Amino acid sequence: MIGNLKPLEILLIIAVIVLLFGAKKLPEMARSLGKSARILKSEAKAMKKDGEAEDAAAAPAADQAPQQPVAPRTIQAAPGDVTSSRPVNEPNRTTQG
């Protein structure tokens, strides 16, 4: 769709954007857009790096037996609500009544 725009249509779109936001706001918006793109790129790169590190660490760890017992995973309802936390693999309890 964007490839089908003619130069006059592009100029019209730019004029509408300038009228809507004003010439003073456009550089600020472009800077914030660029900063957001850089942050997104760095976060994606960090996530990819973390995934590769986990894969590399998981392969040697799978060959060795764990030396320390692993704590059971728990599900917590809300911060500070310790009464509803329970182990993940615990079967549901039925109420008597």
Side-chain angles (χ1 to χ4, degrees), residues 28-62:
E28 180 182 324
M29 290 171 53
R31 273 193 293 275
S32 66
L33 182 64
K35 188 183 285 187
S36 298
R38 271 184 262 128
I39 291 171
L40 180 66
K41 184 178 178 182
S42 68
E43 289 296 324
K45 193 181 225 182
M47 288 175 63
K48 184 177 180 182
K49 187 177 180 182
D50 287 346
E52 290 173 356
E54 288 176 2
D55 290 343

Side-chain angles (χ1 to χ4, degrees), residues 75-78 80-86 93:
I75 299 173
Q76 294 194 358
D81 184 15
V82 295
T83 59
S84 63
S85 64
R86 60 178 176 77
R93 294 181 183 157

